[in-house]
Amino acid sequence: MQAAQTTIDPAEVAKFEAMAAEWWDPNGKFKPLHMLNPCRLDYITSQIAAEFDRDLNDALPFKGLRILDIGCGGGLLSEPMARLGATVVGADAAGGNLPVARIHAEQSGLEIDYRHTSAEALVEAGEQFDAVLNMEVVEHVADPLTFLTACQELLKPGGLHLCSTINRNAKSFAMAIIGAEHIMRWLPKGTHEWNKFITPDELYTLLENSGLSPVDRKGFVFNPILWNWSISAKDLSVNYVTASLKPE
């Protein structure tokens, strides 16, 4: 059997493996994700609940749903999905992230299927999911369209794809690279490459070309005065998220 093609970028993988031990340190190199995570989770859970008619006030509202967290890192999104009752597969091309993720899940009493693999390999294995979480990954892959097409193929008909990334403009360069990497030093220099950032219109086109139907997009906006993140229906100038469906 021919090996699955991959959109994994080895240089990008190496960046995140070098930081793997710090995934669960809220003041470490992943501090920006810890700060953003409540905002991301609010969007993710509300979209999944709306699409699959689930009540978030229930004890295990996502029970019976199979969710893929592609580019799962240390499990910052996989663990909340598991706590809500979902059957979760966390996949990452950076194998060094997974021992950290597995240990933390075990300490938290959660069963999560963490795998060192790619989206393309999961497609070749015939995996299928109700929802795919694709958060802050697409700007790190070698071929965004091929990667998104693999994510589409991993969804069951009617499945939900949630994808966040960073816009490409002067403001995102100032905030995501100069601010986060050089001034605040939240991330090591070189974590992001501005020319790999994707505008919302470009991402919508990529999603449509992959076979998905985009249905929503929102911005994640950082307030430096209140020092928090919020969801915006209008401001997609830096961080933003999209929701798409796989046609029935």
Side-chain angles (χ1 to χ4, degrees), residues 9 40 59 67 84 94 98 100 110 122 169 189-190 195 205 222:
D9 184 331
R40 293 197 303 175
I67 295 177
L84 291 170
L98 299 179
V100 176
L110 298 170
L122 289 167
N169 52 36
K189 293 177 182 178
N195 62 350
T205 297
F222 181 68

Side-chain angles (χ1 to χ4, degrees), residues 36-111:
L36 176 58
N37 219 35
C39 196
R40 293 197 303 175
L41 285 168
D42 184 27
Y43 186 83
I44 290 168
T45 55
S46 64
Q47 289 290 323
I48 294 174
E51 183 59 32
F52 297 100
D53 194 22
R54 302 301 175 98
D55 185 347
L56 291 172
N57 292 316
D58 290 346
L60 297 171
F62 294 171
K63 187 174 182 180
L65 295 178
R66 191 165 191 251
I67 295 177
L68 172 65
D69 181 10
I70 190 78
C72 63
L76 299 186
L77 293 175
S78 294
E79 289 201 8
M81 296 300 104
R83 287 194 187 94
L84 291 170
T87 299
V88 180
V89 174
D92 206 299
N97 290 330
L98 299 179
V100 176
R102 291 184 182 117
I103 289 170
H104 198 274
E106 184 178 352
Q107 291 172 341
S108 303
L110 298 170
E111 291 187 14

Side-chain angles (χ1 to χ4, degrees), residues 7 138-139 141-149 196 198 203 206 210:
T7 54
V138 70
E139 71 271 24
V141 302
D143 184 339
L145 178 57
T146 300
F147 172 67
L148 290 170
T149 300
K196 288 188 173 182
I198 302 170
L203 184 57
L206 287 166
S210 78

Side-chain angles (χ1 to χ4, degrees), residues 15-28:
K15 293 176 188 177
F16 289 91
E17 285 196 317
M19 301 184 282
E22 299 195 44
W23 269 107
W24 288 96
D25 180 358
N27 295 307

Side-chain angles (χ1 to χ4, degrees), residues 179-220:
E181 297 183 14
H182 293 262
I183 297 175
M184 300 304 296
R185 297 184 181 179
W186 281 339
L187 293 166
K189 293 177 182 178
T191 298
H192 289 109
E193 296 178 37
W194 182 81
N195 62 350
K196 288 188 173 182
F197 290 171
I198 302 170
T199 70
D201 287 346
E202 288 171 347
L203 184 57
Y204 255 39
T205 297
L206 287 166
L207 291 165
E208 289 168 346
N209 289 342
S210 78
L212 291 165
S213 298
V215 293
D216 186 58
R217 60 186 183 185
K218 295 287 192 297
F220 292 143

